[in-house]
């Protein structure tokens, strides 16, 4: 059940990323992680700027890109005692930071994509846990 919950939360994040017009850093879906999603930022943008702004302005922690992807991605974790609503809060924060930084994002787009997925799969998660 824990693995299924992490997979479901991760899929909501991936749908949000797609709604933002971005993509995960993983080269293909078979390489996606159910613990963290590294989001490739638009050209000319710096993922570390988003991470710093989220922490300083909104008190939310995202991860920076490491090594050769430093500045090219930011990371959203979806592991541990999270719920749909907690993940949605993180996605909303990421969107606000993107808007604050002048990135091309429509506020609410990723949140709405994740909400739709979580809303329509909530019963499946409860049945799987039973």
């Amino acid at each position: 059940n824990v693995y299924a919950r992490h997979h479901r939360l991760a899929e909501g994040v991936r749908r949000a990323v797609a709604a933002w017009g971005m993509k995960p850093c993983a080269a293909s879906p078979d390489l996606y992680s159910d613990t963290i999603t590294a989001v490739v930022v638009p050209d000319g943008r710096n993922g570390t700027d988003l991470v710093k702004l989220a922490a300083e302005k909104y008190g939310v922690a995202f991860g920076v890109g490491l090594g050769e992807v430093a500045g090219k991605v930011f990371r959203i974790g979806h592991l541990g005692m999270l719920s749909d609503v907690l993940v949605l809060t993180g996605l909303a924060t990421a969107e606000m930071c993107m808007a604050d930084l002048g990135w091309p994002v429509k506020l609410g787009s990723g949140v709405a994509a994740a909400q739709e997925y979580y809303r329509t799969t909530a019963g499946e998660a409860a049945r799987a846990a039973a």
Side-chain angles (χ1 to χ4, degrees):
N1 292 337
V2 171
Y3 293 121
R5 179 171 51 86
H6 291 153
H7 176 75
R8 185 169 164 277
L9 294 174
E11 182 58 27
V13 169
R14 291 188 282 264
R15 289 176 186 231
V17 170
W20 295 333
M22 298 179 193
K23 62 180 184 157
C25 187
S28 62
D30 61 307
L31 298 175
Y32 289 167
S33 170
D34 287 341
T35 61
I36 196 160
T37 297
V39 182
V40 178
V41 302
D43 288 339
R45 310 298 178 169
N46 187 322
T48 302
D49 293 341
L50 182 141
V51 173
K52 288 180 181 176
L53 181 62
E56 293 168 2
K57 185 172 182 179
Y58 299 110
V60 173
F62 294 112
V64 297
L66 304 171
E68 61 187 65
V69 295
K72 298 176 184 177
V73 304
F74 71 96
R75 296 177 296 136
I76 300 174
H78 28 76
L79 178 67
M81 287 305 300
L82 291 174
S83 66
D84 302 354
V85 173
L86 290 172
V87 173
L88 292 169
T89 300
L91 296 172
T93 303
E95 289 180 3
M96 290 188 300
C97 290
M98 289 180 219
D100 291 345
L101 293 167
W103 294 18
V105 66
K106 181 179 187 238
L107 287 176
S109 60
V111 172
Q115 282 176 313
E116 184 63 19
Y117 178 73
Y118 294 150
R119 187 182 65 74
T120 59
T121 61
E124 294 169 23
R127 283 189 297 279

